[in-house]
Amino acid sequence: MPMIHFHARMNLEFASGPGLLDVDFSLKTGSLIGLYGPSGSGKTTLLRILAGLTQPESGRIRVNDRFWLDTEKHINLPTQQRNVGMVFQDAALFPNMSVRQNVEFAAENRRDPRVNELLELAGLQNLADRKPVTLSGGQRQRVALARALVRRPQVLLLDEPFSALDRVTRDQLLNELLRLHRKFGTTTVLVSHQLDEIQQVTDTVLEIEQGKMQWLENKSENRRADKQSVSGIVTNIAFESSKVRIQVQLAETIIIVEQTPTALEWQIGETVKLNVDPEQFVRQSKS
Ligand SMILES: Nc1ncnc2c1ncn2[C@@H]1O[C@H](COP(=O)(O)OP(=O)(O)OP(=O)(O)O)[C@@H](O)[C@H]1O
């Protein structure tokens, strides 16, 4: 079965002091995995090692039959030869090029039919002639995703690509990511420090903390089971700059739910159902 094997050890300066990044995992080619962990735990470093942007003290990366890295044998393929696509939090698009030109520029051949296919799949046809400066953050990230996929990468690396976006846009883009993944089957690593974001697209989650890893598959099942559906009445809606704080009265508890203004569908006095996840809500006792 086509697999990716990754093993790397590297000394890092964590916030708490020096420590070792020590990661060893295998995944099936074509899978979508989440890489989850707190800030400074080693997620970006792991992606950089995969991409060939950082070299660990020791390690081995095998993608199907090809070694990208083998420190014992002094193999270390440069990034250009690793065939990875990358999307970061802030899409660095070429400002002087249109959306179409940005995607074409990344393609091996400007006339590759994949350019049009991706513009269409990412919902960018109507924006194809616009310059990045005229796009919203979500639209820019769509262009970045299309650009990363146009070269048919073997591995797609996504480093918190949607974390600067509002929740509604983020959810939309996560759905689009899932659709693109199902269509192309590109092996994808999605980094986030928000577990709920990752769990929207995959149950296969690698947790990394202070450079040490563990698989979270079972924990994610448990977390889902933890959620409870409860009914409550909306008792107050307060608009703040970029969000809405909605107060929902349950039997014994008042819960504050934060939403973006565009997602607001509730009215005061309405009975609503909440899927309660303790990490998503600020609980307040009834006074
Ligand atoms: N080349 C390096 N040498 C030594 N230490 C490093 C190196 N690169 C990063 N670090 C340190 O390793 C730790 C992990 O960094 P990394 O960027 O991988 O974390 P992260 O999990 O991606 O964090 P965030 O979610 O904030 O982006 C940090 O404390 C960082 O300062």
Side-chain angles (χ1 to χ4, degrees), residues 10-15 37-46 54 160 193:
M10 179 176 177
N11 290 304
L12 291 181
E13 286 298 327
F14 293 102
S39 182
S41 56
K43 306 182 296 298
T44 298
T45 305
L46 196 158
T54 294
E160 311 232 18
H193 58 267

Side-chain angles (χ1 to χ4, degrees), residues 96-221:
N96 55 333
M97 293 185 189
S98 68
V99 166
R100 172 182 293 282
Q101 287 165 336
N102 264 281
V103 180
E104 281 175 352
F105 188 77
E108 261 173 75
N109 161 8
R110 274 189 51 195
R111 299 193 192 288
D112 189 337
R114 179 112 156 174
V115 172
N116 275 334
E117 186 183 13
L118 274 164
L119 287 174
E120 191 178 320
L121 283 168
L124 294 167
Q125 311 94 311
N126 297 335
L127 306 174
D129 297 325
R130 300 247 303 255
K131 293 273 162 59
V133 71
T134 70
L135 303 179
S136 69
Q139 290 164 341
R140 278 201 295 274
Q141 290 309 81
R142 279 203 185 101
V143 180
L145 206 49
R147 192 181 56 175
L149 283 167
V150 79
R151 283 186 86 99
R152 301 171 173 81
Q154 271 187 294
V155 182
L156 179 64
L157 305 175
L158 307 172
D159 196 354
E160 311 232 18
F162 310 137
S163 61
L165 307 174
D166 66 73
R167 189 164 187 130
V168 178
T169 313
R170 202 183 73 181
D171 288 352
Q172 258 174 15
L173 279 165
L174 285 166
N175 280 335
E176 282 172 27
L177 169 65
L178 202 52
R179 214 158 34 82
L180 289 167
H181 180 257
R182 286 189 182 136
K183 168 118 184 119
F184 297 117
T186 310
T187 308
T188 302
V189 183
L190 171 67
V191 167
S192 178
H193 58 267
Q194 286 175 286
L195 192 53
D196 66 331
E197 178 174 324
I198 290 178
Q199 288 176 331
Q200 256 174 277
V201 289
T202 182
D203 274 334
T204 311
V205 185
L206 196 64
E207 181 181 37
I208 179 159
E209 189 148 12
Q210 286 274 102
K212 304 290 174 294
M213 55 147 281
Q214 62 166 336
W215 289 103
L216 258 196
E217 285 139 300
N218 297 332
K219 265 201 202 168
S220 82
E221 289 304 314

